[in-house]
Amino acid sequence: MLPELGLVSLALALMLSLALSVVPLLGAHRGHAAWMATARPLAYALLAAVAVSYALLTWAFLVHDFSVAYVAQNSNSLLPRIYQYTAVWSAHEGSLLLWLLFLVFWTALVARFSRRLPAPVVARVLAVMGMVALGFLAFTLFTSNPFERLLPGAVEGRDMNPLLQDPGMIFHPPLLYMGYVGFAVAFAFAVAALIDGKVDAQWVRWSRPWTNVAWAFLTLGIALGSFWAYYELGWGGWWFWDPVENASFMPWLVGAALLHSQAVTEKRGSFRGWTLLLAIAAFSLSLLGTFLVRSGVLTSVHAFASDPERGMFILAFLVIVIGGSLLLYALRAPKLETGKPFAASSRETFLLANNLLLTAAAAMILLGTLYPLLAEALDLGKISVGPPYFGLLFILLMAPLVALVPFGPLMRWQREDLSQPVRWLAPWAVLAVVVGVVVFFTWPYGTTKTAVGLLGAVWILAGTARFVWQRLRSTSKGARFTAEMTGMLLAHAGIGIFVAGVFITESTSIERDVAARPGQVFELRGYDFAFEGVEKHQGPNYLADRGTVVVSRDGREIAVMHPEKRAYAAGGQVMTEAALHGGLHRDLYVALGEPLDQSGGWALRLYVKPWIRLIWLGSLFMAAGGFVVVLDRRFRRPATPGAPA
């Protein structure tokens, strides 16, 4: 009975989203206050309906209701309790319901925290979000029903994918979806502004905090997904340019451009059309990622579905949303005011260059991701586009961005004598070059890539420190560091830390495949890995071959590591569980391969990865910057309508 109630809740949500899409929008068009006033109650009711449906699906997992097909396919009575919760979003139908839950949650948040906005603006924004929810609810009900019954019910479930039975599954999808779906708010504000035909500081000021929060959540989601793949898959890498990884990275890049463009539009009134286009593009790329993951056109460890019907539905929805918003943009954008003019040497110009480089990088990734699909569809053969293409072009596009980062905060709006910031930054540029040269000649395992990476990292960090020092010397003590400025500094520092981590680990990491027998010791970068053998280990729902490797250095024991090969009871699938001993300055990593013979020999893969944790530390700094910006009190004050702040 409870699954049927879940389905009824989804049907009710469909009707509520239809009402939210139509009634407030008509009210704003006709100036009907009562109709506009329905937007907030409808948004809250929509959240309640979807939340009830999600709670009922979760309950079906907790009570092992294997008469529900989705539960039978993705759970098992032996599954640990924590993974019974995460199994809800471990496959297509449940992950889509989680996406919907976050979408209506964002919609309710906008309804709650937009009371200072004019009623017509709120009505239009919530109506647009209702339209997006309507499309996903229709997709869920008609092609991806999570409450579909099995008659008769299964005696036992197939089990959750063993690859997903990991703590990373608890946090990664929710964080990623919060970021993905959060760009729907910026999209809704943009479309609402285009419908109204007016883009001013008020519109941008109220959309900026939502964009920052969405981007920060997406940063955390991508970083956590990278760390999860690093330790779970046993390959020791942190990014593989997998098409589904790219699907989340593209909206992140466009979102970063949108953050900077919104700042220019709010403060100077410039880039209005460009800001609208980026808001549309960021959410459109989020939808494209949904299509790639769920349509079956990609083969990936991250992909969920392979149903052509679902793929066609999402593709049609994608065409309607993206095509409709771009058509509206084409009709209304030429009529927007252009804003104040600015000189070639100004902060606006540097931020425009930032935008172009970020969007060019996103376009390059989009081309590399979609080209193999187009080639196969046109019978041009199977073409693989991998790390050599993405890695080279991404570095070429990001190198100028790294060079420009320290200049942006030091430049003045509208016009700047470029010689002034050059003088300020010249000593720090010399310092960065000196660090690069010293590293090149003295780092014991480094290469040219290490030196170049540290040069770029020091340049960004030193340039950021120069701006901090300048602000501390400012005579206007009350305005030294706003929350917006502090967030910007954290994000820029995060970029520097991230760059250092990437280049150091990519150029100095070492791996070694060995045939190990009990008692053998293998030396790697000064660390001794002593293999003591493999024994059986019983887990909650698996039986593992558990290795023991004792790591020491200079005769001192550092860690006892236990890599595993797990055979899961329900499906018999065998998974590699790597052992990891980490610290800020290096990671030790051991993966257990296959048995070699009857004498206890096993294949082992050993890694030493210097400073790889800087990659995720830098990501945390960037995400923290996005969250801190939202705390700026200026965003809680209304802007003067019709003019930049």
Side-chain angles (χ1 to χ4, degrees):
M1 184 62 185
L2 291 181
E4 283 72 20
L5 287 177
L7 196 58
V8 170
S9 293
L10 281 180
L12 175 61
L14 183 71
M15 291 185 285
L16 289 169
S17 64
L18 179 60
L20 180 59
S21 305
V22 175
V23 177
L25 197 60
L26 287 176
H29 179 68
R30 298 180 179 180
H32 201 303
W35 290 10
M36 287 188 285
T38 63
R40 287 192 176 89
L42 284 171
Y44 300 145
L46 180 58
L47 172 61
V50 176
V52 167
S53 181
Y54 185 85
L56 290 172
L57 183 62
T58 303
W59 181 252
F61 273 89
L62 296 179
V63 299
H64 306 303
D65 186 354
F66 298 129
S67 69
V68 178
Y70 183 70
V71 178
Q73 292 163 2
N74 298 284
S75 187
N76 185 275
S77 58
L78 296 176
L79 190 66
R81 175 67 76 171
I82 185 62
Y83 297 130
Q84 292 172 24
Y85 287 98
T86 61
V88 178
W89 59 75
S90 66
H92 172 76
E93 290 86 348
S95 70
L96 191 63
L97 190 58
L98 180 68
W99 174 289
L100 256 173
L101 181 64
F102 282 139
L103 178 60
V104 297
F105 177 67
W106 277 101
T107 305
L109 285 179
V110 173
R112 171 63 181 82
F113 293 104
S114 61
R115 297 188 180 277
R116 295 183 183 181
L117 280 176
V121 174
V122 177
R124 293 188 185 100
V125 170
L126 293 179
V128 173
M129 297 194 72
M131 293 176 194
V132 177
L134 178 64
F136 275 97
L137 278 162
F139 180 48
T140 302
L141 280 168
F142 301 133
T143 72
S144 309
N145 176 14
F147 297 103
E148 185 177 339
R149 285 286 197 176
L150 275 179
L151 294 175
V155 177
E156 184 58 274
R158 294 183 184 175
D159 203 8
M160 181 182 176
N161 185 342
L163 189 65
L164 305 180
Q165 295 182 35
D166 184 89
M169 188 63 182
I170 303 171
F171 304 105
H172 168 58
L175 289 173
L176 195 69
Y177 286 7
M178 277 291 284
Y180 260 154
V181 180
F183 284 127
V185 181
F187 172 81
F189 270 100
V191 173
L194 287 169
I195 293 172
D196 188 32
K198 183 173 66 175
V199 180
D200 56 17
Q202 188 176 39
W203 167 79
V204 181
R205 177 171 292 183
W206 280 96
S207 65
R208 282 189 68 192
W210 302 102
T211 308
N212 274 274
V213 170
W215 182 82
F217 271 118
L218 187 57
T219 304
L220 288 176
I222 292 172
L224 183 57
S226 165
F227 184 68
W228 182 14
Y230 163 67
Y231 73 78
E232 176 66 20
L233 297 181
W235 64 296
W238 62 276
W239 193 261
F240 191 64
W241 296 105
D242 178 277
V244 181
E245 289 177 334
N246 296 346
S248 62
F249 192 39
M250 288 184 289
W252 185 89
L253 289 168
V254 175
L258 176 60
L259 298 180
H260 294 87
S261 185
Q262 283 180 331
V264 179
T265 302
E266 185 210 352
K267 296 177 180 180
R268 305 304 300 170
S270 302
F271 299 4
R272 298 186 188 201
W274 180 241
T275 299
L276 291 169
L277 189 59
L278 287 175
I280 293 171
F283 185 59
S284 297
L285 287 169
S286 296
L287 291 180
L288 179 64
T290 305
F291 169 72
L292 293 175
V293 174
R294 290 172 169 79
S295 63
V297 300
L298 292 179
T299 301
S300 166
V301 295
H302 307 82
F304 283 117
S306 57
D307 188 337
E309 182 184 355
R310 292 170 178 172
M312 289 305 297
F313 192 107
I314 298 177
L315 185 59
F317 182 59
L318 205 65
V319 170
I320 292 170
V321 173
I322 299 176
S325 56
L326 290 178
L327 177 62
L328 184 61
Y329 177 83
L331 294 174
R332 293 296 179 91
K335 301 175 184 178
L336 299 176
E337 297 178 17
T338 57
K340 296 181 180 180
F342 52 88
S345 58
S346 64
R347 184 181 291 189
E348 289 94 328
T349 300
F350 275 70
L351 290 176
L352 179 60
N354 158 293
N355 273 218
L356 293 175
L357 289 167
L358 288 169
T359 51
M364 177 272 295
I365 295 171
L366 180 64
L367 176 64
T369 303
L370 295 184
Y371 183 70
L373 305 178
L374 294 174
E376 187 173 352
L378 297 173
D379 291 327
L380 299 178
K382 288 187 175 293
I383 298 174
S384 176
V385 178
Y389 163 83
F390 291 112
L392 175 62
L393 291 183
F394 189 74
I395 289 176
L396 291 177
L397 287 168
M398 290 299 101
L401 185 64
V402 167
L404 292 176
V405 165
F407 283 95
L410 295 171
M411 301 289 287
R412 287 184 299 183
W413 295 110
Q414 200 165 356
R415 181 178 296 276
E416 174 66 275
D417 180 4
L418 195 56
S419 62
Q420 182 69 13
V422 168
R423 284 198 301 272
W424 288 336
L425 290 172
W428 306 103
V430 172
L431 173 64
V433 172
V434 169
V435 168
V437 171
V438 170
V439 165
F440 180 78
F441 286 106
T442 63
W443 193 291
Y445 307 110
T447 64
T448 303
K449 185 184 286 188
T450 313
V452 171
L454 283 175
L455 186 156
V458 171
W459 165 245
I460 294 174
L461 293 171
T464 304
R466 176 63 178 82
F467 175 75
V468 171
W469 182 66
Q470 179 171 316
R471 294 296 297 181
L472 289 174
R473 295 176 63 237
S474 172
T475 54
S476 55
K477 295 182 182 295
R480 276 183 183 171
F481 292 102
T482 63
E484 181 184 9
M485 192 176 298
T486 303
M488 177 268 293
L489 293 171
L490 284 172
H492 284 192
I495 295 171
I497 296 169
F498 177 85
V499 168
V502 168
F503 279 87
I504 292 175
T505 193
E506 288 293 314
S507 58
T508 63
S509 292
I510 187 172
E511 66 178 85
R512 185 178 173 189
D513 292 315
V514 298
R517 287 176 171 76
Q520 282 189 295
V521 179
F522 305 93
E523 190 276 334
L524 200 65
R525 287 276 168 84
Y527 294 93
D528 293 319
F529 294 79
F531 180 60
E532 296 190 349
V534 172
E535 59 186 13
K536 297 294 183 181
H537 173 75
Q538 182 65 57
N541 61 337
Y542 60 84
L543 180 65
D545 290 310
R546 191 183 196 203
T548 299
V549 178
V550 178
V551 184
S552 58
R553 186 166 194 173
D554 299 328
R556 182 174 61 88
E557 182 178 303
I558 294 175
V560 179
M561 305 176 70
H562 297 289
E564 296 180 357
K565 279 284 189 181
R566 295 178 178 177
Y568 283 81
Q573 292 172 280
V574 178
M575 300 298 300
T576 298
E577 196 73 17
L580 183 65
H581 185 269
L584 182 63
H585 70 288
R586 61 97 183 100
D587 273 10
L588 305 176
Y589 188 109
V590 180
L592 190 65
E594 301 298 328
L596 300 178
D597 49 43
Q598 300 299 319
S599 63
W602 283 77
L604 285 182
R605 177 168 289 180
L606 313 174
Y607 297 89
V608 177
K609 296 187 152 303
W611 297 101
I612 192 171
R613 298 293 172 105
L614 292 182
I615 293 172
W616 300 298
L617 179 63
S619 301
L620 290 177
F621 268 75
M622 286 187 264
F627 287 123
V628 168
V629 167
V630 181
L631 302 178
D632 199 305
R633 289 176 294 179
R634 186 167 57 81
F635 294 130
R636 294 188 287 275
R637 296 196 300 266
T640 303

